[in-house]
Amino acid sequence: MTVAEDPVKLMKQQVGKAAALRVQSNSIVGLGTGSTTAYTIEYLGDRLKSGDLQNIVGIPTSFQAEVLAKQYGIPLTTLDAVDRIDIAIDGADEVDPQKNLIKGGGAAHTREKIVDYLAEQFIVVVDSSKIVDRLGSSFPVPVEVIPMAISPVMQAIKKLGGKPELRMGVKKAGPVITDQGNMVIDVRFDAIDDPANLEKTLNNIPGVLENGIFVGVTDLVLIGEVKDGQPSVREL
């Protein structure tokens, strides 16, 4: 299938490109994880090659982002070496009207949260299917847990009214292991009325490293849509 025949792919490219165009020279850029952000990284590489963009360094949020950045010629640094992040660009699994997010479908939410919260400006790139009225509508909350604590953490989550499930690997026997060497529990809640409170409550369970609820951190959401076979980008 060529790009011309695949409006969804074209739309993801356009959203990724729209975000990449907001990056300015001489900046430190948080590089997110996922299919749409992959196009952002590719386009940042193109802008560097053409000379349209100069002197940027990236901080990847995952092994995937690191590999892509190297592939497209974006120099990388670490959080130890910088005192700020100018802009971070990342995807999301759900976005509510207040721009709160659920992230972690790719199990990289812990690193993403560290980078995205540090950024002066945090841009989220999504397609319109990720826009929800209320968090938890269609996507479970990913919770990264150190392996020895899986059982007690699941018990604690059940007491909160959540339905926890250990995320298993695809094409791999056994559970998904994060870049930090931990496991991921996907938790379904009937309703998330107070995302900020739930985020804190989950993180207070001993053994939980971080969860995928992102509250009050998003500055801009770029939404890709396909209408009548034509891709477009709008802001939330």
Side-chain angles (χ1 to χ4, degrees):
M1 188 182 268
T2 65
V3 171
E5 293 166 358
D6 187 356
V8 173
K9 182 177 176 185
L10 198 58
M11 174 265 293
K12 284 189 172 194
Q13 284 176 323
Q14 284 192 2
V15 181
K17 185 173 177 177
L21 282 169
R22 290 174 177 267
V23 175
Q24 296 172 351
S25 293
N26 310 309
S27 55
I28 298 163
V29 188
L31 302 172
T33 305
S35 57
T36 308
T37 322
Y39 290 120
T40 300
I41 295 173
E42 181 179 354
Y43 192 67
L44 285 173
D46 290 348
R47 288 188 66 196
L48 276 175
K49 267 195 213 79
S50 71
D52 176 41
L53 195 60
Q54 286 156 356
N55 188 33
I56 67 161
V57 286
I59 295 188
T61 56
S62 64
F63 184 62
Q64 182 216 19
E66 188 179 330
V67 169
L68 285 171
K70 286 174 179 168
Q71 185 181 331
Y72 295 115
I74 300 169
L76 295 177
T77 187
T78 63
L79 290 174
D80 297 331
V82 301
D83 57 1
R84 69 176 202 285
I85 296 173
D86 297 296
I87 184 169
I89 299 166
D90 213 339
D93 300 301
E94 283 189 348
V95 182
D96 77 4
Q98 288 75 44
K99 299 183 191 157
N100 297 321
L101 318 173
I102 288 181
K103 290 173 54 49
H109 54 279
T110 298
R111 285 196 194 187
E112 289 168 347
K113 199 175 265 194
I114 292 164
V115 168
D116 298 344
Y117 272 74
L118 280 171
E120 298 282 318
Q121 187 187 23
F122 175 37
I123 298 178
V124 171
V125 290
V126 289
D127 62 76
S128 55
S129 71
K130 308 291 170 65
I131 306 302
V132 296
D133 292 333
R134 190 157 74 170
L135 288 189
S137 308
S138 56
F139 211 84
V141 178
V143 181
E144 182 165 349
V145 182
I146 65 170
M148 69 165 280
I150 284 291
S151 192
V153 167
M154 283 179 127
Q155 294 303 325
I157 285 171
K158 282 177 188 165
K159 282 185 186 149
L160 292 175
K163 300 179 189 69
E165 198 172 290
L166 184 62
R167 187 182 301 181
M168 302 307 282
V170 179
K171 298 184 181 173
K172 167 195 178 291
V176 166
I177 304 296
T178 69
D179 286 352
Q180 289 75 245
N182 299 312
M183 295 177 187
V184 175
I185 296 172
D186 288 311
V187 187
R188 289 204 174 272
F189 291 95
D190 290 335
I192 299 176
D193 297 318
D194 185 349
N197 190 42
L198 183 59
E199 180 188 15
K200 290 191 187 82
T201 304
L202 287 170
N203 278 357
N204 275 337
I205 299 171
V208 169
L209 184 59
E210 190 53 81
N211 70 79
I213 300 174
F214 285 51
V215 172
V217 63
T218 309
D219 296 301
L220 174 68
V221 182
L222 297 175
I223 305 163
E225 294 176 302
V226 178
K227 283 182 182 161
D228 307 323
Q230 291 301 311
S232 63
V233 179
R234 68 179 172 94
E235 293 181 18
L236 180 63

